[in-house]
């Protein structure tokens, strides 16, 4: 069976030579992509996915020599042209995302969560290589990765996020980013790309953070509360939103800002009770119920 995976990834040249080709290159790549889409985070988990889903995979791939080992998968991805693979992957997710968009609820806005993380088991001490760190854009509605940008370490996420945004079509979407990406230039780039943002706010913007947190002691324009129960644990999530922002000294420097948000999470497990406050800024003038759900989608 030929799929869109075959159509997009068949253009990757095989760098292997001689008899070092027990497994077809396209088989290894498609198996690995499907494994990652289903949650695999290491070469070992990709192999395990292949073994568990072998009957299904044989409907898509010949697999004449069975499931490749984790070492084989690792070697293949160390050898192939990373830039070509990235272009093929982005073309595939763009096509898939566009086809899924037609099935979305009318009026539903895409929520794109941008996060950075280190890939498990990607470090190699023998070769002096640290863990691979990626900044990824995740489609909440379609449940797929829209794009990734490799960075040297977590401290370089600030430079990677604008590069990743440049590769995505975020028109009409809502982009959520952790505090590392709460930068004036990033907010401006999202607005100029005709998207909206929800950005986590922490003490790295000390004066701005103090102004935001103090304002919630005096007012709120919208309020929402949600209760979750399960597995012996309860969580009450209270969301408060303020839209009147004339008191913010740097308002003109944060492109498009229209709301500040406070989320209070109260977790109850048995006799233990913990409370945490988190703050966000947004270019949306939405109500607290919307922000409560959107923020939970990314950060929970």
């Amino acid at each position: 069976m030929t799929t869109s995976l075959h159509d997009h990834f068949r253009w990757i040249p095989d760098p292997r030579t001689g008899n070092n080709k027990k497994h077809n290159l396209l088989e290894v790549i498609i198996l690995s992509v499907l494994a990652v889409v289903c949650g695999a985070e290491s070469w070992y988990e990709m192999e395990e996915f292949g073994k568990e889903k072998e009957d299904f995979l044989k409907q898509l791939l010949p697999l004449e020599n069975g499931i490749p080992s984790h070492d084989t998968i690792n070697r293949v991805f160390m050898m192939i042209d990373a830039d070509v693979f990235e272009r093929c992957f982005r073309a595939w997710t763009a096509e898939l995302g566009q086809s899924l968009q037609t099935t979305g609820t009318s009026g539903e806005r895409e929520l794109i969560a941008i996060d950075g993380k280190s890939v498990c088991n990607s470090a190699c001490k023998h070769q002096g290589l640290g863990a691979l760190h990626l900044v990824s854009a995740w489609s909440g509605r379609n449940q797929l990765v829209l794009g990734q940008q490799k960075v040297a370490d977590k401290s370089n996420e600030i430079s990677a996020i604008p590069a990743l945004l440049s590769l995505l079509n975020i028109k009409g979407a809502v982009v959520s980013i952790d505090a590392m990406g709460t930068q004036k230039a990033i907010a401006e780039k999202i607005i100029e790309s005709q998207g909206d943002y929800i950005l986590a706010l922490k003490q790295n913007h000390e004066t701005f953070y103090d102004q935001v947190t103090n304002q919630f002691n005096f007012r709120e324009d919208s309020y929402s509360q949600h209760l979750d129960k399960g597995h012996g644990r309860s969580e009450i999530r209270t969301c408060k939103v303020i839209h009147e922002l004339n008191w913010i000294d740097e308002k003109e420097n944060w492109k498009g800002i229209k709301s500040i948000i406070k989320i209070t999470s109260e977790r109850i497990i048995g006799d233990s009770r913990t409370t945490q406050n988190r703050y966000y800024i947004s270019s949306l003038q939405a109500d607290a119920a919307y922000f409560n759900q959107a923020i939970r989608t990314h950060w929970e």
Side-chain angles (χ1 to χ4, degrees):
M1 178 189 298
T2 300
T3 67
S4 61
L5 288 163
H6 293 79
D7 294 337
H8 286 286
F9 290 103
R10 65 189 176 90
W11 302 106
I12 300 176
D14 194 338
R16 299 170 297 173
T17 58
N19 296 322
N20 191 27
K21 296 183 180 181
K22 179 180 178 181
H23 298 279
N24 179 275
L25 178 66
L26 194 55
E27 290 183 357
V28 177
I29 291 174
I30 291 177
L31 163 64
S32 303
V33 170
L34 290 175
V36 170
V37 168
C38 292
E41 295 186 346
S42 69
W43 310 120
Y44 295 94
E45 292 180 2
M46 292 178 191
E47 179 185 355
E48 286 303 310
F49 170 84
K51 291 178 178 178
E52 291 177 5
K53 304 295 183 182
E54 187 168 0
D55 290 341
F56 164 74
L57 292 170
K58 283 183 175 179
Q59 299 177 43
L60 308 176
L61 308 167
L63 295 174
E64 294 179 357
N65 291 307
I67 300 299
S69 69
H70 60 273
D71 284 332
T72 297
I73 298 172
N74 187 358
R75 283 195 300 270
V76 166
F77 276 89
M78 291 291 287
M79 295 175 68
I80 62 175
D81 189 315
D83 291 334
V84 174
F85 174 82
E86 187 174 14
R87 288 197 296 271
C88 293
F89 184 85
R90 285 178 176 155
W92 174 65
T93 56
E95 178 185 297
L96 185 59
Q98 186 174 7
S99 65
L100 288 172
Q101 187 173 3
T102 62
T103 64
T105 303
S106 177
E108 179 186 2
R109 296 194 68 178
E110 173 73 292
L111 180 63
I112 299 175
I114 294 183
D115 272 314
K117 72 172 184 176
S118 296
V119 179
C120 297
N121 300 316
S122 59
C124 182
K125 293 183 179 179
H126 297 297
Q127 298 182 21
L129 299 175
L132 176 62
H133 194 78
L134 297 173
V135 175
S136 302
W138 174 259
S139 167
R141 182 174 64 199
N142 297 326
Q143 295 293 292
L144 57 85
V145 175
L146 299 175
Q148 292 183 322
Q149 192 75 21
K150 183 172 67 174
V151 296
D153 53 52
K154 191 171 181 64
S155 64
N156 288 308
E157 285 185 20
I158 293 176
S159 59
I161 291 172
L164 180 57
L165 288 171
S166 296
L167 299 170
L168 302 173
N169 178 13
I170 62 172
K171 181 178 180 180
V174 180
V175 180
S176 57
I177 312 177
D178 209 345
M180 178 68 76
T182 303
Q183 306 292 329
K184 298 181 183 71
I186 291 176
E188 182 175 1
K189 185 172 185 64
I190 292 170
I191 295 299
E192 290 179 347
S193 300
Q194 300 181 56
D196 281 295
Y197 59 78
I198 302 174
L199 307 177
L201 181 64
K202 293 185 178 179
Q203 289 94 330
N204 54 323
H205 295 281
E206 185 176 358
T207 301
F208 188 25
Y209 180 85
D210 289 342
Q211 287 183 322
V212 168
T213 56
N214 289 336
Q215 190 67 12
F216 281 100
N217 294 324
F218 306 107
R219 63 175 298 172
E220 65 191 51
D221 296 330
S222 183
Y223 175 93
S224 172
Q225 192 170 79
H226 182 78
L227 172 64
D228 279 328
K229 287 185 177 181
H231 305 289
R233 182 182 71 176
S234 298
E235 182 183 29
I236 302 171
R237 292 171 53 86
T238 302
C239 179
K240 298 180 180 180
V241 181
I242 297 175
H243 299 305
E244 176 53 59
L245 306 180
N246 290 333
W247 49 270
I248 294 182
D249 294 338
E250 296 187 41
K251 178 186 176 184
E252 299 305 318
N253 295 326
W254 289 94
K255 187 80 169 181
I257 186 171
K258 294 179 181 176
S259 304
I260 59 171
I261 305 104
K262 177 182 179 180
I263 298 285
T264 300
S265 299
E266 185 178 8
R267 290 184 174 90
I268 305 168
I269 304 176
D271 296 329
S272 175
R273 184 186 295 261
T274 60
T275 302
Q276 181 185 34
N277 293 321
R278 290 171 292 163
Y279 299 89
Y280 305 84
I281 64 173
S282 178
S283 61
L284 296 166
Q285 194 162 4
D287 61 20
Y290 172 84
F291 283 122
N292 212 351
Q293 179 58 40
I295 289 170
R296 185 185 181 207
T297 299
H298 182 160
W299 281 280
E300 293 298 326

